[in-house]
Amino acid sequence: MTSNVNDTKKLALIPLILMIFTSVFGFTNIPRSFYLMGYGAIPWYILSGITFFIPYAFMMAEYGSAFKDEKGGIYSWMEKSVNPKYAFIGTFMWYASYIIWMVNVSSSIWIPLSNALFGKDTTSTWSLLGLKATQTLGLLGVVWVITVTYVASKGLKSISKVTSVGGTAVALLNIVLLLGGMFVLIANGGKVAQPIVSSHSFVVSPNPAYQSTIAMFAFLVFAIFAYGGLEVVGGLVDQTENPEKNFPKGLLISALLISIGYSLGIFMVGVFTNWKEVLGSQNVNMANVAYVVMQNLGYKIGQSLGFSEVTSLAIGAWFARYVGLSMFLALTGAFFTLSYAPLKQIIEGTPSELWPNKIGKIENGIPKNAMWVQCTIAVIMIILVSFGGEAAAKFFAKLILMTNVAMTLPYVFLSGAFFSFKKNKLIKKPFEIFKTESSALIATIIVTATVAFANFFTIIQPAIEGDLSSTIWMIIGPVFFTLVAFLMYRRYETRKESIKNNVLQTKIKTSA
């Protein structure tokens, strides 16, 4: 790829950790997990952490340390470990999924902002220039994507500042949850709101809908994907200060904090939340459960301090508003990272001949032209979905189904390539956790099998529940993206071969 400036400010350890935190850790996964499984969520998070997240983080740390000078992130890792075609198919599928993610979040990010400003979701009543609510959110989404692209195109320093604010907001939200939970626990004399009868409480869900084997497997998939997104920061290795040490250190610290944070957070929700009394209502769902849980925490703190019912409810309302603000800032941080990092990897890692010259141009370490092309694609999709009526909305719902598996299937590509990476003696590995080939093989098998199972179950679950159409679309997604990537790469190989033949023929004519 062409570049004219390499003098960019490097990421220090703390901003790197905050960037990883905003990309991976989802605070809403904590209340949602308790809503689905109660304390029973904790063993599944521990199992997912052991079989997927911790070994996967170790793999990413080894990759990042070995390829510290590579700009192409996960593409470069897989290309050097296996081959370019394998790397391109996995990276292209992963990148395409993030464009759909951007389109989806650009319109839904206003819900937590509404909760922060008004204490509830009022987006269904929003109207600009006489437009309907859906069209208004679409218009706001367009402005949002253009603004993010403009700011992010100014350089990594701008992105780092935004993600640091988002990471700090989420960290503070977790501190509020943990300290608030401990305060309520002490104030109640060590008695928890959701009773722990026996070890049975950590196995069986209080939610009637999540007591079957199928439902438990579905939750395991939820827990695995709650740890997803670590590979996004792969493209930041070359942007990190002292990457050989700081990148693996940042990954390992983040992995530890995230693993402990999820399980401890779920337990703390049970300290101040009785599932039947607070979450058993039909009005509570996956979309609003985070607000309900934190509102309840504020209320319980008010009651523990001896405040009146009205004052306690007011405290609860402000807690819910803070959730909205934190979620908005966290999504903002994630949006900035994901508008830049995946694109950087696919542009800087892949052969320049795959892209028109101007798209591949890098300025100040940023693929500015490619970011604006990405922005244009996202804006067109947002406008079509928002203003295209019911048919467009149904089409976008199918696109989301297509990317459900396509977004996480590259984890299989990355973990599957790890054993080849370890066997390749030509690759210098300054940081190693898996010291032997056998330990690397075991980790490769466990992580790949865990993610493959999660994806397989994600695909078949709708069919089991009678929704065959969703299953078919989830299969079509990866197949479609693989086919597009294969054809793109095949076109590149043909052009490369043609250029090679032309050069050879010219040499023959010259020598003759």
Side-chain angles (χ1 to χ4, degrees):
M1 301 278 76
T2 58
S3 179
N4 54 6
V5 180
N6 262 331
D7 186 24
T8 53
K9 187 176 179 181
K10 300 285 185 176
L11 275 173
L13 182 62
I14 298 301
L16 175 67
I17 290 170
L18 289 170
M19 196 170 273
I20 294 169
F21 206 71
T22 56
S23 298
V24 178
F25 191 87
F27 174 80
T28 53
N29 289 327
I30 293 173
R32 284 174 180 174
S33 296
F34 188 82
Y35 172 63
L36 296 176
M37 288 291 292
Y39 294 127
I42 296 173
W44 292 111
Y45 267 91
I46 293 171
L47 178 64
S48 301
I50 292 169
T51 59
F52 168 59
F53 188 57
I54 300 296
Y56 184 65
F58 290 165
M59 289 177 179
M60 298 304 103
E62 286 203 27
Y63 275 134
S65 184
F67 301 123
K68 65 183 187 300
D69 298 319
E70 296 290 339
K71 296 179 181 295
I74 66 169
Y75 174 85
S76 298
W77 301 353
M78 292 189 286
E79 185 220 0
K80 298 283 190 296
S81 302
V82 185
N83 61 56
K85 189 178 290 184
Y86 178 94
F88 185 69
I89 290 171
T91 309
F92 180 82
M93 188 188 305
W94 171 76
Y95 169 69
S97 303
Y98 274 111
I99 292 185
I100 306 303
W101 180 90
M102 286 173 65
V103 173
N104 196 18
V105 172
S106 65
S107 296
S108 61
I109 196 171
W110 310 106
I111 296 172
L113 181 63
S114 173
N115 276 283
L117 295 174
F118 310 112
K120 60 181 179 178
D121 178 12
T122 62
T123 54
S124 60
T125 64
W126 289 10
S127 178
L128 287 173
L129 307 172
L131 297 171
K132 295 177 184 176
T134 308
Q135 295 169 338
T136 298
L137 293 177
L139 189 62
L140 289 171
V142 168
V143 174
W144 175 256
V145 172
I146 292 170
T147 304
V148 169
T149 302
Y150 175 76
V151 175
S153 67
K154 294 297 178 183
L156 188 65
K157 189 177 179 181
S158 303
I159 298 168
S160 177
K161 283 180 179 177
V162 177
T163 54
S164 292
V165 172
T168 304
V170 176
L172 286 173
L173 191 56
N174 282 279
I175 291 169
V176 169
L177 173 68
L178 298 176
L179 293 182
M182 287 172 66
F183 175 79
V184 173
L185 184 65
I186 293 166
N188 291 342
K191 187 180 178 183
V192 295
Q194 181 65 23
I196 301 173
V197 180
S198 65
S199 58
H200 191 72
S201 301
F202 290 92
V203 178
V204 179
S205 170
N207 189 335
Y210 270 76
Q211 292 176 352
S212 67
T213 305
I214 293 290
M216 283 188 174
F217 277 139
F219 184 78
L220 174 60
V221 172
F222 179 89
I224 290 168
F225 292 155
Y227 287 120
L230 200 60
E231 71 294 333
V232 170
V233 294
L236 302 174
V237 183
D238 64 303
Q239 305 284 346
T240 305
E241 284 180 3
N242 193 10
E244 204 167 301
K245 290 182 179 179
N246 280 350
F247 191 75
K249 189 186 289 184
L251 275 173
L252 300 185
I253 291 171
S254 302
L256 194 64
L257 288 173
I258 291 165
S259 300
I260 294 170
Y262 274 140
S263 294
L264 188 59
I266 292 164
F267 178 78
M268 278 300 172
V269 172
V271 164
F272 60 83
T273 307
N274 181 280
W275 196 95
K276 191 174 181 180
E277 290 177 7
V278 180
L279 306 180
S281 165
Q282 288 184 345
N283 296 325
V284 179
N285 52 54
M286 291 284 278
N288 67 8
V289 67
Y291 304 104
V292 172
V293 164
M294 291 304 284
Q295 187 170 13
N296 183 54
L297 173 59
Y299 174 77
K300 291 289 185 180
I301 289 173
Q303 292 286 283
S304 300
L305 290 170
F307 294 148
S308 67
E309 183 81 3
V310 173
T311 305
S312 298
L313 287 170
I315 293 171
W318 280 105
F319 267 60
R321 287 188 177 208
Y322 180 64
V323 173
L325 178 62
S326 298
M327 284 168 59
F328 175 75
L329 292 173
L331 277 172
T332 300
F335 207 101
F336 271 81
T337 301
L338 297 172
S339 68
Y340 159 75
L343 183 64
K344 177 184 182 293
Q345 296 184 52
I346 200 166
I347 291 293
E348 291 202 271
T350 55
S352 56
E353 293 83 1
L354 269 164
W355 316 102
N357 187 47
K358 287 187 177 180
I359 289 182
K361 189 177 179 183
I362 307 296
E363 296 179 48
N364 301 328
I366 300 286
K368 290 186 179 180
N369 293 339
M371 286 182 75
W372 283 110
V373 171
Q374 173 183 265
C375 173
T376 303
I377 293 168
V379 164
I380 290 169
M381 291 182 73
I382 293 167
I383 291 170
L384 286 174
V385 172
S386 303
F387 293 84
E390 192 178 339
K394 285 181 178 177
F395 170 71
F396 187 65
K398 288 182 172 64
L399 273 181
I400 291 174
L401 285 171
M402 286 171 70
T403 56
N404 269 357
V405 172
M407 185 177 277
T408 54
L409 203 57
Y411 303 166
V412 175
F413 279 73
L414 273 166
S415 59
F418 187 70
F419 187 60
S420 297
F421 161 77
K422 294 295 285 185
K423 283 200 304 179
N424 192 332
K425 303 301 179 187
L426 297 175
I427 299 172
K428 186 183 175 184
K429 305 175 184 73
F431 176 85
E432 289 188 281
I433 290 177
F434 302 103
K435 303 289 186 183
T436 63
E437 282 192 7
S438 57
S439 65
L441 180 61
I442 291 167
T444 299
I445 291 169
I446 290 173
V447 173
T448 306
T450 300
V451 182
F453 162 77
N455 278 300
F456 175 73
F457 191 81
T458 301
I459 290 168
I460 66 166
Q461 189 188 2
I464 292 170
E465 295 171 353
D467 184 7
L468 186 61
S469 174
S470 292
T471 290
I472 291 169
W473 280 106
M474 278 193 269
I475 294 170
I476 288 172
V479 172
F480 172 75
F481 292 127
T482 299
L483 185 61
V484 171
F486 179 80
L487 291 173
M488 283 180 69
Y489 201 84
R490 182 66 190 147
R491 177 175 166 271
Y492 154 71
E493 286 179 322
T494 304
R495 284 177 62 193
K496 189 179 176 183
E497 190 65 32
S498 176
I499 293 167
K500 186 179 176 182
N501 290 337
N502 288 339
V503 170
L504 189 63
Q505 285 175 6
T506 303
K507 282 184 178 179
I508 291 169
K509 286 179 182 178
T510 306
S511 61

